[in-house]
Amino acid sequence: MPQKRKKILFVDDDVSLLEVILQLMGHFAGGSWEILTAPDVSKALGLLQEHRIDLLVIDIHMPLVDGVQFLGLLQRKYPNVLKVVLTGDATEQYRATCLSNGAELFLEKPRDEGGWRS
């Protein structure tokens, strides 16, 4: 029986970064992940309603609803979805806030392909 592909949803308002993520993560996953992207929380919520998401990777700084607010909403509405924060603003204060609001991991955005690979 073929193994079910994991669905990973990346949420970031930087559309060019989402394009890079689609290419890199698709390559690194070797077809074992179905990668979805959303440029905002509204689109992400729509995808969460349509698909069974295994992992949600979100940015902190987004317009209207930021990543911390989104984590709070996710904890109430989708508590069983694994959540990772991927940000360019990796301060200790954000780390503590995100982890206390339901994120399993808090990671700094890689600056090169080697960082994405790891």
Side-chain angles (χ1 to χ4, degrees):
M1 180 177 211
Q3 188 174 1
K4 183 181 168 235
R5 290 174 34 171
K6 300 287 184 188
K7 285 190 174 135
I8 316 299
L9 173 57
F10 288 86
V11 184
D12 197 304
D13 61 317
D14 184 343
V15 177
S16 60
L17 176 66
L18 290 177
E19 291 172 9
V20 169
I21 285 171
L22 271 172
Q23 293 174 3
L24 281 175
M25 293 299 135
H27 172 73
F28 293 146
S32 61
W33 294 355
E34 180 179 344
I35 300 166
L36 305 170
T37 61
D40 56 50
V41 169
S42 175
K43 174 79 170 162
L45 288 171
L47 289 169
L48 279 162
Q49 289 176 349
E50 294 172 19
H51 302 276
R52 186 187 169 284
I53 301 297
D54 297 295
L55 175 66
L56 187 59
V57 182
I58 59 179
D59 186 26
I60 290 178
H61 299 294
M62 296 184 289
L64 301 178
V65 178
D66 69 20
V68 175
Q69 293 167 321
F70 190 31
L71 279 171
L73 175 68
L74 291 167
Q75 275 302 94
R76 290 187 301 277
K77 216 168 170 172
Y78 300 96
N80 296 325
V81 173
L82 294 173
K83 296 164 282 302
V84 173
V85 172
L86 183 64
T87 183
D89 192 5
T91 66
E92 194 53 44
Q93 180 180 0
Y94 276 131
R95 174 185 294 283
T97 301
C98 290
L99 293 175
S100 69
N101 278 285
E104 278 74 32
L105 283 174
F106 182 89
L107 303 171
E108 186 170 2
K109 284 181 181 172
R111 303 193 194 292
D112 57 32
E113 184 176 331
W116 284 106
R117 185 179 309 278
S118 66

